[in-house]
Amino acid sequence: MLSGIHPILGGELLAALDRLGHGDELVVADANFPAHRVGASVVEAPALAAADVVGAIRTVLPLDTYEGASVLLMAAEGGQRLPVQHELVAAAVTTDDRVEELERFAFYDRAIAAQLIVRTGELRPYGNVVLRKGVVNEYTPTGAAA
């Protein structure tokens, strides 16, 4: 176990996140998402809510601020955001102008191009989000290890 690292971020997930570069995209997906069909690199996070995984990822991964949306949701049928989607946006710690929605099949197409998919245990439909990685500008130590 490491000091200062969110406990959801195990070795496999940390290594996969570390391999991402500026502008690379990752998908945090619900349990029903066809992750292994669309993604080359899949990390499993069973029994965890998608928003909890997004929140943990955001402790080590900045969002891109270059241009356009850095958070993409799979649009729910009916055009209204569902509670799980509001939770995903809140966990991403971003502003509404940085969030867009993609129609379901357009979201799948985007996921195919993602560098990483984290499949969670989220059972609520539309618990899927794309995050675009930003630039790490500085190292901020959390203190000496005990």
Side-chain angles (χ1 to χ4, degrees):
M1 179 160 233
L2 299 172
S3 175
I5 301 293
H6 194 290
I8 285 176
L9 301 177
E12 182 182 5
L13 181 52
L14 274 175
L17 293 171
D18 185 53
R19 287 190 290 268
L20 297 176
H22 179 225
D24 283 349
E25 293 184 341
L26 71 112
V27 176
V28 176
D30 64 31
N32 292 298
F33 191 81
H36 291 278
R37 178 171 51 99
V38 301
S41 180
V42 178
V43 174
E44 299 285 348
L48 295 172
D52 291 343
V53 173
V54 169
I57 288 170
R58 286 287 287 121
T59 66
V60 297
L61 185 126
L63 293 177
D64 194 7
T65 59
Y66 180 62
E67 64 180 42
S70 53
V71 175
L72 303 166
L73 297 170
M74 179 187 284
E77 293 178 40
Q80 297 291 324
R81 280 196 190 161
L82 302 173
V84 67
Q85 294 171 309
H86 288 289
E87 292 169 25
L88 289 169
V89 172
V93 190
T94 192
T95 57
D96 280 338
D97 64 318
R98 305 294 300 170
V99 180
E100 290 181 6
E101 295 182 16
L102 294 173
E103 179 273 331
R104 179 178 154 206
F105 293 103
F107 189 95
Y108 288 150
D109 289 342
R110 191 69 170 252
I112 289 169
Q115 285 69 36
L116 172 64
I117 297 177
V118 181
R119 187 168 69 173
T120 69
E122 180 66 64
L123 294 176
R124 294 175 291 175
Y126 299 99
N128 305 298
V129 63
V130 173
L131 304 174
R132 192 172 70 233
K133 184 179 185 284
V135 174
V136 176
N137 290 316
E138 62 183 61
Y139 165 69
T140 307
T142 59

